Amino acid sequence: MRGGHNALSTTELQARGTFKAARHRDRLADNLTTVDTLEPPEHLDSEQKAKFLEVCDHLAGFGVLSLADRDAITTYVETLELQNLAWQSVQKNGVMIDKDGQPTTNPAMRVYLQCDAVLKPLRERFGFDPRSRQGLKTKPAIKAKLDPMEAILGKNK
């Protein structure tokens, strides 16, 4: 597998005149079919399913939602729920708790931070923060070519 954070789309390579069919024609990113939504997994509760569909709506709005995203979206939703539960514990019990007469860090705080470590790269890949949205590459919509004769006759609107 090749490419990286600076990989160019096929469209960009063609525009620069650096597209090489032997090297670039079978790129997975250019062959993924986008979809409008995905079905949430059955094991998610109603709130998690709603969040799953919300994420799908965002990605579909960017024009990048694919069947291949289902597992990553599921991980995102499950981890987000776990992080929320950990934060509720931190709010209720505090960052520091008393354990055997000694102050110690609330274990929920560690869970919260571990969840954030999982969520951060997913947010970046999904374009859920301003900086990552700037780098999100989407395929431009293919516009139908206008028939000049239909334009003259007023049929292209």
Side-chain angles (χ1 to χ4, degrees), residues 3 42 45 52 55 57 74 96-97 100 110 118 127 133 139 145:
E42 289 297 318
D45 65 27
F52 183 96
V55 171
D57 285 346
T74 301
M96 301 299 288
I97 60 172
D100 301 327
R110 282 192 281 275
V118 172
R133 261 192 309 279
K139 292 182 187 177
K145 292 184 180 179

Side-chain angles (χ1 to χ4, degrees), residues 4 6 11 15 20 34 37 49 60 73 85-86 90 104 106 153 157:
N6 60 350
T11 306
K20 305 280 187 233
T34 59
T37 192
K49 285 180 181 179
I73 295 170
L85 291 172
V90 169
T104 187
N106 185 340
L153 298 173
K157 294 183 180 178

